């Protein structure tokens, strides 16, 4: 799998990890067990007991520690064995790999690379459901397709016109006009003004808006998007530059999404979405989540079908088009970092 390892990957929503209940997860092909100890801290270890390789995710939490429930070895959060029933000595090799964990923006992030390089400053600045400015619903969707195909999808919104004709009713603009694209150190920024558009929230209104949307797609596969409606004429008055979202007059909303590679051919897609507190309420959030469920279902049908065709076409080249610029920029960034990690031996 061509994925950067020195990155924070989303392993779960914070709320998915109940105290005392270990959870199995796979990230870039590695089996991991996560648990929340009685110290409330979340820990992550290789999900494979050092004794006879049973999954520690079938284990029992004891304080901050985790006991393998096959023959009872007790592991500390650092992966070291603390106890072996029936013997006094714990050999020095009695240890499994421990992964750095951080909880930010309502997500549990796991660092899959060299632990010495785990830098929390590299966690993408997502907006979680713990952020009081927005009213966000959240969920996840499992894919029978590799993560890269989902990232490619999120890096090219021209598909909105076709894949999401039924759900988002995006119209021809997304396909006909290219977004503004800016390369970032750890990703790509996309932004787009749509001028003088009718008020879709009130079809009887003659009011027109300039709509702005912008998103960053960041390593390893995190999309952070904000959009809103502004007074008609705002785009031209800003020379099509970015607006101050605090001057939005309607429809301000945020979505954070993360694509986590599980195995070679499977991925988990985490998402939240909802209105800014000044522009919506819980009912609007619920409506948006229903729309998201429909739209993300549309993506899943297309991407899983694409994945099956790719699996049956080994070595078949693709043919990039103008809308692939963001996809290409991001994939080149991934390839460069993977090469550098290979050279550094991480
Ligand atoms: S396999 Fe874990 S204690 Fe035996
Ligand atoms: Fe989509």
């Amino acid at each position: 799998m061509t994925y950067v390892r020195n990155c924070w990957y989303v392993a779960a929503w914070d709320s998915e990890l109940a105290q005392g209940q270990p959870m199995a997860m796979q990230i870039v092909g590695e089996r991991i067990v996560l648990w929340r100890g009685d110290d409330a801290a979340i820990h992550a270890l290789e999900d494979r007991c050092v004794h006879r390789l049973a999954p520690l995710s079938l284990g029992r939490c004891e304080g901050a520690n985790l006991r393998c429930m096959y023959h009872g070895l007790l592991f500390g959060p650092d992966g070291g064995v603390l106890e072996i029933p029936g013997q006094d000595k714990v050999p020095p090799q009695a240890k499994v790999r421990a992964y750095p964990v951080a909880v930010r923006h309502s997500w549990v992030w796991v660092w899959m690379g060299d632990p010495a390089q785990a830098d929390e400053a590299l966690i993408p600045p997502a907006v979680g459901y713990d952020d009081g400015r927005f009213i966000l619903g959240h969920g996840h969707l499992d894919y029978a397709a590799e993560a890269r195909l989902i990232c490619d999808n999120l890096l090219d919104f021209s598909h909105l016109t076709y894949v999401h004709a039924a759900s988002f009713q995006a119209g021809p603009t997304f396909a006909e006009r290219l977004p503004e694209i800016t390369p970032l150190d750890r990703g790509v920024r996309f932004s787009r003004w749509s001028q003088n558009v009718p008020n879709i929230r009130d079809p009887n209104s003659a009011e027109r808006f300039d709509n702005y949307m912008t998103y960053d797609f960041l390593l390893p596969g995190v999309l952070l998007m904000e959009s809103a409606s502004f007074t008609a004429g705002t785009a031209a008055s800003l020379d099509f530059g970015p607006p101050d979202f605090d001057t939005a007059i309607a429809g301000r909303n945020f979505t954070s999404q993360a694509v986590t590679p599980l195995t070679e051919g499977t991925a988990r897609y985490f998402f939240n979405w909802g209105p800014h507190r000044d522009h919506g309420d819980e009912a609007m959030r619920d409506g948006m989540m229903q729309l998201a469920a429909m739209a993300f279902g549309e993506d899943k049908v297309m991407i899983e079908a694409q994945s099956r065709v790719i699996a049956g076409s080994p070595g078949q080249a693709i043919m990039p088009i103008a809308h692939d610029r963001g996809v290409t920029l991001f994939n080149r960034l991934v390839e460069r970092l993977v090469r550098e990690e290979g050279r550094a031996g991480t």
Side-chain angles (χ1 to χ4, degrees), residues 49 51-54 68 70-73:
C49 180
H51 174 223
R52 288 188 175 273
L53 317 185
C68 177
Y70 200 178
H71 313 97
L73 267 65

Side-chain angles (χ1 to χ4, degrees), residues 94-111:
K95 196 169 179 37
V96 296
R97 179 173 174 186
Y99 296 84
V101 177
V103 180
R104 290 275 189 294
H105 321 303
S106 312
W107 268 326
V108 179
W109 304 81
V110 175
W111 179 267

Side-chain angles (χ1 to χ4, degrees), residues 54 57 88 110 119 191 231 242 249 251 274 305 317 342:
S57 49
D88 295 332
V110 175
D119 178 0
S191 39
T231 318
I249 53 172

Side-chain angles (χ1 to χ4, degrees), residues 93-158:
Q93 74 272 24
K95 196 169 179 37
V96 296
R97 179 173 174 186
Y99 296 84
V101 177
V103 180
R104 290 275 189 294
H105 321 303
S106 312
W107 268 326
V108 179
W109 304 81
V110 175
W111 179 267
M112 296 304 295
D114 172 11
Q117 296 185 51
D119 178 0
E120 294 191 7
L122 295 177
I123 295 175
V127 172
Y129 49 69
D130 59 351
D131 188 313
R133 294 171 302 160
F134 294 88
I135 304 170
L136 302 173
H138 69 281
H140 74 252
L141 199 60
D142 280 344
Y143 265 78
E146 70 166 305
R148 186 182 56 85
L149 296 180
I150 308 168
C151 293
D152 290 353
N153 166 282
L154 296 171
L155 285 155
D156 172 8
F157 271 20
S158 69

Side-chain angles (χ1 to χ4, degrees), residues 143 153-154 156-157 159-160 163-164 167-168 257 269 295-296 298-300 303:
Y143 265 78
N153 166 282
L154 296 171
D156 172 8
F157 271 20
H159 80 273
L160 264 71
V163 175
H164 303 308
S167 58
F168 291 139
Q257 306 177 8
Y269 176 45
F296 298 159
E298 291 164 343
D299 283 316
K300 186 170 147 75
I303 292 169

